[in-house]
Amino acid sequence: MSGSRSDLENLGIGMFCAPIFTVTLQPTIYLKHAKMQGLPLSMNPKMLWRGTTASMCNETGQAGLQFLTTGFIKRWAGVHRGRALTPLEDAAGSAAGGAVSALWVSPVELVMIQQQRFGGSVAHTLCRIQRNFGWYGFSRGYLATGLRDSVYVIGMLSATPFMEKEMKRLGFGAATGSVVASLAAGVAAGVLSCPFDCIKTCMKGDLERENFRGFADTGRHLYRNGGFGRLFHGVEWRCASLFGGFFVVSACTTLLDQHCPAGSDLNLLGRLADGLSLSAA
């Protein structure tokens, strides 16, 4: 998906899609984080959309970097090998893009989780973390975040487009293929990445390390207190979030292919907005 476009196009696509699915799916993020940490669930809109500002910063940077780095890696690998990438090589490029983008995602998501749990503004949360835990505190949970995002990007930028092509080959329409591929990839990526996401969330919610210390210790603690199933708390909300996000990305990239062929860097976002308007009409 992203290997055929320029770095500018990939960055623009990711940053355009992110605000759409972030605002729409923010309640699933809150519900997932609350369930993973064993906190009471609330359907109060103020709670459901708490941390949206930090989440938008996270998702916009995350999606932009994931498209940018994954596209760059896939293009480099394709040129280096002198042929089209195999599905396994394509997935490896996506995994690498996810790990690199986690350098941005991890600290920003830390702020969002702390804000969701304790309230306060983004600025107040940033200052509190730096004051109490130093700059090193922002690195907490990177390994779990990197592993989670590697699986996530494989689902979004490798599995979803691969299944869309297969659905098209079997004679299904573009809309049907997009929904089925997004649903299948979202559920698979959501389930496979949930243990990493659960460990990450618990670590970032407990900066004081009262219950959760390092990556391995957090995994053992969760297993001792709930068995293997404890690592999958919130999996339903994670799958719902990934399905929605994958579908938005799939729809936007399909519109881009129709209205803005690869290589047309100029006025990329304007053309995408025009495509969305035409589609709505």
Side-chain angles (χ1 to χ4, degrees):
M1 177 187 289
S2 56
S4 62
R5 292 188 175 273
S6 70
D7 293 336
L8 178 60
E9 287 178 315
N10 283 322
L11 181 65
I13 295 167
M15 295 185 72
F16 186 90
C17 295
I20 300 174
F21 60 72
T22 300
V23 175
T24 306
L25 300 171
Q26 180 64 19
T28 66
I29 302 298
Y30 159 75
L31 293 167
K32 178 195 72 171
H33 285 161
K35 193 165 184 180
M36 286 179 172
Q37 296 176 87
L39 302 174
L41 302 182
S42 171
M43 292 300 167
N44 185 331
K46 290 183 178 180
M47 292 294 294
L48 291 174
W49 272 274
R50 176 184 281 179
T52 300
T53 301
S55 186
M56 286 187 67
C57 292
N58 173 37
E59 295 292 348
T60 302
Q62 174 183 356
L65 284 171
Q66 285 169 348
F67 271 80
L68 176 66
T69 56
T70 301
F72 175 82
I73 291 169
K74 288 182 181 181
R75 264 200 327 278
W76 175 85
V79 170
H80 179 70
R81 294 184 178 277
R83 57 170 172 77
L85 299 180
T86 66
L88 182 59
E89 291 169 341
D90 189 270
S94 295
V100 172
S101 66
L103 293 169
W104 161 267
V105 174
S106 185
V108 179
E109 203 162 89
L110 172 72
V111 175
M112 178 181 65
I113 291 172
Q114 285 286 306
Q115 189 182 15
Q116 286 177 337
R117 184 166 185 184
F118 300 109
S121 66
V122 173
H124 176 268
T125 304
L126 283 166
C127 292
R128 176 175 60 82
I129 294 173
Q130 198 283 325
R131 181 176 61 251
N132 295 336
F133 306 100
W135 294 112
Y136 182 72
F138 290 96
S139 68
R140 181 157 169 77
Y142 168 75
L143 176 59
T145 306
L147 291 170
R148 180 205 64 178
D149 284 359
S150 292
V151 178
Y152 168 80
V153 180
I154 289 174
M156 179 171 64
L157 298 182
S158 290
T160 299
F162 175 79
M163 284 189 279
E164 284 177 334
K165 291 178 182 177
E166 288 300 303
M167 293 289 289
K168 183 177 180 180
R169 185 179 62 82
L170 293 172
F172 291 92
T176 302
S178 179
V179 171
V180 172
S182 300
L183 178 60
V187 171
V191 172
L192 292 174
S193 65
C194 193
F196 302 129
D197 198 24
C198 189
I199 291 172
K200 176 272 305 178
T201 300
C202 291
M203 290 179 68
K204 292 182 183 296
D206 183 23
L207 283 173
E208 296 80 7
R209 300 172 183 256
E210 292 179 359
N211 297 308
F212 307 106
R213 294 192 288 273
F215 176 84
D217 176 77
T218 300
R220 286 193 296 266
H221 180 93
L222 292 171
Y223 180 79
R224 286 195 301 266
N225 286 274
F228 194 61
R230 178 64 180 86
L231 294 168
F232 290 90
H233 277 199
V235 66
E236 69 276 26
W237 297 113
R238 176 151 181 78
C239 290
S241 177
L242 265 59
F243 163 56
F246 289 2
F247 179 74
V248 169
V249 170
S250 174
C252 288
T253 52
T254 298
L255 287 170
L256 272 174
D257 289 339
Q258 295 173 355
H259 300 283
C260 185
S264 303
D265 287 340
L266 296 178
N267 200 23
L268 172 66
L269 298 185
R271 293 189 186 187
L272 178 54
D274 290 342
L276 289 172
S277 299
L278 288 171
S279 178

